[in-house]
């Protein structure tokens, strides 16, 4: 079991699943090996003359498509699918804002008027003395127009550093419309259309930028307008946050629209009384994946776990309802739930699952539907049988929006990125890293996440995190100020002076756009070059698995960031395509995409890149002993993951 995860709660529940005869993703991964041809990107199934398997002496498909073309098409399609997922989420946020602003969705309010006005300025919407509802309606309409825009470029392109904007225009990759670039990728990769690998992949950069500076950025902005821009909030994480004597409801997926209403419904005095009438002491709301991150950063709702923990959560026998929306929801949930009393409730008009109850969400009746869902969970509480809740829980601080990061460096009137830039320039902070993304069953769960993040902070690199990496960091105490002893001396000093942890939780997958904004602010603040590609910074996705991760990685590269994915490469079968997305893209846009299965090498490459960028900026050479005796660990030392396994950092149940 210890080879499957480093997380004590996950291991405990894997043993319980085995005892209960339950098959989970971990078992299925052992029983079913990935197809080796598809795994390396060598399979073309874009037309029905095939599928063509390009192996051995077969170097081209029936139509004559070469390995490079096949690989480029497959990768571009995956990036487009990821961009579509994020962007469709963003579209729904804009539709909800429009409904809220025009009185069609009375349960939603405009919670952050300051953010509304800032976003209005980016979209060219007049503000002045107009009522906020009027501004919000125009912001929603302007945002929706970005999806169907046919000409020109997305308005948010102007939020990138000026030098970067010029580069995108010169290369012809400034995205025109969010939907347009995705559709064009599907067209170009249709059988018999674009045949040139580099040409296909250049359009993939444009498509991904339509996600990063389009759909995802719209999603983050509108979520903040409707639900509030995050500020630091204390919370708890891991399976120990489940309550033996309360109705446990888990929200899972990605959208905050319904889950934010469930937060309201779960604290409704009438429903709490109803829960008590069924023998429960109250209602306990927790979350999995990015819906969890959304309600964590705004309400402090505890994190139950990340992607690979979703089925095991049900094995606790303590979950009365798991409410799912979109993305990263395993179909295996339904069959695991058959063995326990848990009700799986699907809610999105876009996503149903056989074996689940479907209570369709409609933003026009949001609170009523949220109450119905909570009531359904309460009704299920008396059906609970034997429970097994691991006593594993840790504390965390989350909610570091880019607005808050600027605020904490100077307050309302003098907010800036000057202190951060100065401390990078003087070498207290060696550089910055965005560590994000999924869990993958082909790596030991959480091991790369934790070893990389801990390795970075020990080496004085400030880490910002989102998605399932953020949840992993939460479970090992890496999001608390107490983790300072594990940070390098320079980073520790700066974090203590500002009062922040060395690992900053910035939200969900779509909130990677907050990282783009931070990098833009660092690049334009002065002293660290003029573009994102000048910064001593890296992007890392240690345990990637989803198409969304590929879109995120690609828009990071297009923004000028060296981005390293852990695990296997989807284009491993083509040295040519591997070169296009690494050295080729670096020459074109200053960032490159690499796949590196060994987390030690990811750490080494990241530190080497940060140091090379420091040198190019003519900054002082990083000296780990300059500010105190360095606590830095390097690959080969005792590993954080082993220390977790030995229980060195194991936490016990902490008070609510
Ligand atoms: S939920 S996309 S497993 S980060 Fe955003 Fe986690 Fe990856 Fe899903």
């Amino acid at each position: 079991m210890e080879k499957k995860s480093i997380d004590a709660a996950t291991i405990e529940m894997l043993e319980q699943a085995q005892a209960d005869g339950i098959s989970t993703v971990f078992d299925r991964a052992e029983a079913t090996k990935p197809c080796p041809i598809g795994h390396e990107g060598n399979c073309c199934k874009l037309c029905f003359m095939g599928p063509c398997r390009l192996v051995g002496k077969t170097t081209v498909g029936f139509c004559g498509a070469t390995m490079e073309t096949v690989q480029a098409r497959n990768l571009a399609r995956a990036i487009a699918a990821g961009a579509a997922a994020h962007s469709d989420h963003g579209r729904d946020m804009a539709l909800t804002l429009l409904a809220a602003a025009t009185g069609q969705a009375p349960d939603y309010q405009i919670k952050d008027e300051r953010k509304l006005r800032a976003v209005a300025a980016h979209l060219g919407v007049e503000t002045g003395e107009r009522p906020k509802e009027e501004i919000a309606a125009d912001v929603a309409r302007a945002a929706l127009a970005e999806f169907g825009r046919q000409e020109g470029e997305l308005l948010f392109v102007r939020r990138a550093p000026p030098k970067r904007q010029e580069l995108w225009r010169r290369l012809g990759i400034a995205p025109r419309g969010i939907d347009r670039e995705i559709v064009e990728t599907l067209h170009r990769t249709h059988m018999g259309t674009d045949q040139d690998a580099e040409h296909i992949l250049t359009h993939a950069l444009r498509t991904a930028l339509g996600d990063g500076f389009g759909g995802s950025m719209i999603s983050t902005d509108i979520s903040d307008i409707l639900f509030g821009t995050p500020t630091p909030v204390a919370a708890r994480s891991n399976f120990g946050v489940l309550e033996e004597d309360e109705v446990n409801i888990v929200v899972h997926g990605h959208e905050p629209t319904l889950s934010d209403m469930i937060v309201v419904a779960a604290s409704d005095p009438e429903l709490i009384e109803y829960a008590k009438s069924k023998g429960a002491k109250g209602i306990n709301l927790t979350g999995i994946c990015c819906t969890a991150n959304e309600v964590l950063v705004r309400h402090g709702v505890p994190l139950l776990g990340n992607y690979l923990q979703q089925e095991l959560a049900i094995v606790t026998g303590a979950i009365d309802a798991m409410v799912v929306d979109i993305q990263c929801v395993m179909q295996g949930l339904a069959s695991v739930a058959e063995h326990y009393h848990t009700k799986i409730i699907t809610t999105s008009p876009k996503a149903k699952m056989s074996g689940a109850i479907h209570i369709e969400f409609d933003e026009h009746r949001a609170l009523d539907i949220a109450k119905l869902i909570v009531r359904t969970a309460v009704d299920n509480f008396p059906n609970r049988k034997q429970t097994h809740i691991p006593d594993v829980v840790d504390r965390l601080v989350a909610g570091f929006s880019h607005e808050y990061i600027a605020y904490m460096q100077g307050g309302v009137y003098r907010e800036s990125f000057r202190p951060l830039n100065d401390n990078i320039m003087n070498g207290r902070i060696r550089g910055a890293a965005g560590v994000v993304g999924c869990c993958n069953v082909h790596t030991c769960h959480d091991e790369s996440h934790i070893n990389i993040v801990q390795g970075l902070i020990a080496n004085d690199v400030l880490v910002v995190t989102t998605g399932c990496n953020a949840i992993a960091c939460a479970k090992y105490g890496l999001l608390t100020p107490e983790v300072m002893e594990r940070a390098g001396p320079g980073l520790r000093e700066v974090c203590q002076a500002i009062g922040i942890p060395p690992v900053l939780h910035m939200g969900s997958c779509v909130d990677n756009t907050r990282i783009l904004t931070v990098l833009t602010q660092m690049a334009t603040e002065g002293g660290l070059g003029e573009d994102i590609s000048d910064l001593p910074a890296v992007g890392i996705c240690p345990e990637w698995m989803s198409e969304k991760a590929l879109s995120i990685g690609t828009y990071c590269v297009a923004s000028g960031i060296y981005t390293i994915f852990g695990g296997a490469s989807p284009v491993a079968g083509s040295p040519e395509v591997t070169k296009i997305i690494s050295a080729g893209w670096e020459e074109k846009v200053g960032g490159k995409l690499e796949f590196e299965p060994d987390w030690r090498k990811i750490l080494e490459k990241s530190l080497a890149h940060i140091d090379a960028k420091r040198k190019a900026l003519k900054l002082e050479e990083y000296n780990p002993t300059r500010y105190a005796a360095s606590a830095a660990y390097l690959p080969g030392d005792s590993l954080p993951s082993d220390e977790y396994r030995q229980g060195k950092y194991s936490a016990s149940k902490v008070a609510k």
Side-chain angles (χ1 to χ4, degrees), residues 254 289-290 307 328 437-438 467-468 509 545-546 548:
H254 279 78
C289 278
C290 282
Y307 173 72
C328 302
C438 325
C468 287
C509 303
M545 64 89 198
S546 79
K548 291 183 297 168

Side-chain angles (χ1 to χ4, degrees), residues 78 81-83 85-86 211 254 327-328 509 546-553:
H86 283 147
D211 174 2
H254 279 78
Q327 302 166 19
C328 302
C509 303
S546 79
E547 291 165 319
K548 291 183 297 168
L550 290 173
S551 178
I552 294 166

Side-chain angles (χ1 to χ4, degrees), residues 248-275:
N248 287 307
I249 302 174
V250 181
V251 288
H252 172 23
H254 279 78
E255 289 182 335
T257 32
L258 170 62
S259 52
D260 217 83
M261 280 299 139
I262 290 184
V263 174
V264 177
S267 50
D268 181 298
E270 213 174 288
L271 283 168
I272 292 171
E273 275 313 306
Y274 185 59

Side-chain angles (χ1 to χ4, degrees), residues 237-437:
S237 69
N238 219 336
F239 286 160
V241 302
L242 291 172
E243 295 296 340
E244 199 75 61
D245 48 12
E246 295 186 24
V247 176
N248 287 307
I249 302 174
V250 181
V251 288
H252 172 23
H254 279 78
E255 289 182 335
T257 32
L258 170 62
S259 52
D260 217 83
M261 280 299 139
I262 290 184
V263 174
V264 177
S267 50
D268 181 298
E270 213 174 288
L271 283 168
I272 292 171
E273 275 313 306
Y274 185 59
K276 287 181 180 165
S277 77
K278 298 281 179 180
K281 284 197 175 152
I283 301 171
N284 181 41
L285 184 63
T286 66
I288 285 184
C289 278
C290 282
T291 296
N293 285 321
E294 297 278 1
V295 287
L296 163 74
V297 296
R298 298 192 177 90
H299 304 288
V301 170
L303 294 171
L304 185 58
N306 52 11
Y307 173 72
L308 282 182
Q309 291 179 274
Q310 56 187 281
E311 292 170 311
L312 294 171
I314 295 173
V315 179
T316 62
I319 294 173
D320 303 295
M322 185 177 278
V323 186
V324 303
D325 49 59
I326 48 158
Q327 302 166 19
C328 302
V329 176
M330 288 189 197
Q331 192 169 352
L333 289 175
S335 50
V336 176
E338 275 173 17
H339 297 83
Y340 303 90
H341 82 301
T342 305
K343 287 197 188 307
I344 307 292
I345 304 177
T346 52
T347 58
S348 169
K350 295 170 196 164
K352 285 191 176 182
M353 186 195 296
S354 56
I357 305 172
H358 188 71
I359 302 179
E360 193 155 305
F361 178 61
D362 175 357
E363 67 265 32
H364 304 98
R365 299 183 296 117
L367 189 54
D368 283 350
I369 292 168
K371 284 183 179 176
L372 173 63
I373 288 170
V374 171
R375 194 170 276 272
T376 307
V378 171
D379 285 338
N380 197 28
F381 178 78
N383 298 326
R384 227 190 250 183
K385 299 185 187 81
Q386 180 115 25
T387 60
H388 183 126
I389 302 176
D391 184 16
V392 179
V393 67
D394 216 319
R395 293 179 196 275
L396 67 106
V397 179
F400 291 92
S401 54
H402 54 86
E403 287 89 345
Y404 190 83
I405 293 175
Y407 166 78
M408 75 195 184
Q409 296 181 79
V412 174
Y413 298 107
R414 299 183 62 192
E415 61 178 33
S416 80
F417 272 68
R418 199 65 259 155
L420 176 60
N421 278 24
D422 284 344
N423 281 298
I424 291 177
M425 289 163 70
N426 67 28
R428 274 190 179 83
I429 298 178
R430 189 171 183 173
V435 192
V436 307

Side-chain angles (χ1 to χ4, degrees), residues 64 66 111 169-170 172 277 310-311 385 402 421 433 469 527 530 536 573 632 637:
T66 62
K111 287 237 178 89
R169 288 177 193 128
R170 200 165 62 243
S277 77
Q310 56 187 281
E311 292 170 311
K385 299 185 187 81
H402 54 86
N421 278 24
N469 177 271
E530 296 176 346
D637 293 353

